[in-house]
Each structure stands twice: as C-alpha cells, then as structure tokens.
Amino acid sequence: MVARIAVILAMVVALLSGCAATNQRVTDIQSVATTQVKTGDSKELDLLLEPVDTVGILETQALRDRRVSFREVVFPEILASGELYPGRLKWFGWCVCRGREFLAQLVLSPKTSLSGKFIGVVVIDGTEEEIAGGQLVALSTRFEFLYPLNLKETEIKVLNKDEILSVSKKRQEIILAQGIEVDQLPKADFFLEVINSWNRVETKRGWVLTPLSEEQFDYVSRINPAYTHSQKWVKSMHGSIALDPYSTAVGMLFDQVNAIGIQPEGWDFGSHSDRRVAAEINKHLLDRKQSVIIELNRRLKASGGLKP
C-alpha cells in the first residue's frame, strides 16, 4: 500500500514538473505568416523541443512554399558536447531583420572545417530579400543560452527568458545586439536537395523531415524527456532513406549509443545523462576532430612537407 502511494505521488510530481517545463511559446511575433505551423497562428509559436522534434527539420509553411534561405555557420562545440544525442541533429534559432522576425532551424552538419570547427546549416523562414541585412542566433534546447554562431563560438546566458519569449521588442533587441549578420554567412542552397530526400513524418506538432529510418524514428518517438507526458506517436511515414552524409552520421551515433541499452530521457543541458553515453558522444565528436588532423597530415605528406 505504501509503495503504491509512493508511486502515485511520484507520478503527480512528474506530471506537475512536466507541465511547468512546457513554457516555450514565443508570442508577439512581428513577422509574416511564413512562420505558421500546425496551429495556424502566426503570432504564437511553440518551440518546445522534445527528442522526437530534434531528429529532423520542422516542415513550416515557408519551407513548403520554398520561401526559405539556407546558410552555413560555425556550430558551437559546447552545444554539441552538451546536447547532442543519438539521432539528434536540430536546434531552433531566430532571425531578426528590419523589425520582422523569422524562425530558424539549426542542423549539425557531418562536415568539419580544416580549422577544426564543426559546421552547421541554418534554415531560415524567409526569402533572401526578406532576411538581407538581418541578424541570426541559435538557441539551446530550453532557451537557457543563445549562440551568435561566430568563429569565437560565443555562448550567452539568457537571463530574462520569459520576457524574451513574450515581448518582441526585447527579443529583437538582444538578437540585433548579439547575433551574427546573415549576409556574412555563406549560402547553403544544396541543403534543400538533401532534405528533399529524407523521410516525411507526421507528429503532433506538424510534419518533420528526417534522415532517420522508420525504426529509429519510432524508437525516438517513445522517449519521455520529462517535459510533457503526452503520448507521442508516428501517424505515417512516406518516402525512403537516401544515402546522404547526414543520415550516415546521425545513424552511426544512434547505433553506437543504442547498442549500450541505456534508456535516454531529456536531451538538454539540464538532463542527467549516463556517463557511458556521454563518453560515446564525446568520442564521436573527437573522432570528427581527429579526421581533420588526419586529412591535414595527408595533404602535408602529399606535398612533400612531411617525412615518414
């Protein structure tokens, strides 16, 4: 009897804490309707990221209408080290330009620069004309930090999260002050062809384009991150997996960690991760760094500058 009461109390606490963690709705958005998602409300956007939301690109109305822009950026190493998990490739960002706001989605690319920087691709819900001269930032899963996506890999602590979420003026001020200029970033138009080859999956918050296989996506959809306790499911799956570098990279880490047999929960800085899982993720990132050293040594040797 005592054990049953303890279980019930634990469930109540979990439910209450889960509800308290759902406040990630951006309101007072000063933008065009291209940010509309499943709710159909261009003035409010739910940017809560559960694991199932992070394994692909949210298919916004702007993406369906091809009113999007693509940029390559420096992906912050601390964000990858702290919030990467098997199957994860997406974080949210925000772009501000001439008083208007645009949703952005940051994807961890399989590419690593020869200077050792991880590369990301950003999908911005705005045409080239709409975002020209704009400023861009990326956000951690729970909006605790923002990242200008520059070579310094700057991380900025968010001190007034509720105000930034609810007041457009305050949100725009910090992004204009801290963000990177979109015009400085190289275009990544190739990424549209990449995501067009991915699976298209319907979830509770809309359609997601993902390189995961159906089995992998179904596994992720059952993960309870303790943000909400609603039942997650996959309604339908269309398309086929293409052998692109993104699906290969994501699948490799997924298989490595899944083989350990540990059940993951949240995928943000505040989550408690098993040390073995953390070790596998860090090894995956270090292997990417090591591949740069190997390539540089190969080029140096080929040029005659490195003696065996």
Side-chain angles (χ1 to χ4, degrees), residues 3-74:
R4 182 177 298 178
I5 293 174
V7 170
I8 293 173
L9 287 174
M11 290 177 64
V12 170
V13 171
L15 284 169
L16 290 174
S17 62
C19 292
T22 62
N23 181 22
Q24 232 160 267
R25 292 183 179 274
V26 181
T27 59
D28 189 29
I29 301 172
Q30 304 301 310
S31 181
V32 291
T34 52
T35 54
Q36 287 180 338
V37 288
K38 198 168 184 180
T39 60
D41 185 355
S42 62
K43 295 297 181 182
E44 180 176 298
L45 203 57
D46 185 3
L47 299 188
L48 178 68
L49 278 174
E50 298 187 40
V52 73
D53 303 310
T54 70
V55 297
I57 295 292
L58 178 66
E59 190 185 59
T60 63
Q61 187 62 50
L63 182 55
R64 284 192 288 271
D65 294 341
R66 297 296 187 260
R67 296 180 59 84
V68 290
S69 304
F70 303 92
R71 292 292 190 275
E72 278 196 326
V73 297
V74 173

Side-chain angles (χ1 to χ4, degrees), residues 241-273:
I241 290 295
L243 295 178
D244 66 82
Y246 291 84
S247 59
T248 302
V250 170
M252 188 187 333
L253 181 58
F254 186 98
D255 292 339
Q256 284 176 342
V257 179
N258 192 35
I260 301 172
I262 298 171
Q263 294 298 314
E265 293 182 354
W267 292 5
D268 64 288
F269 281 119
S271 301
H272 298 287
S273 176

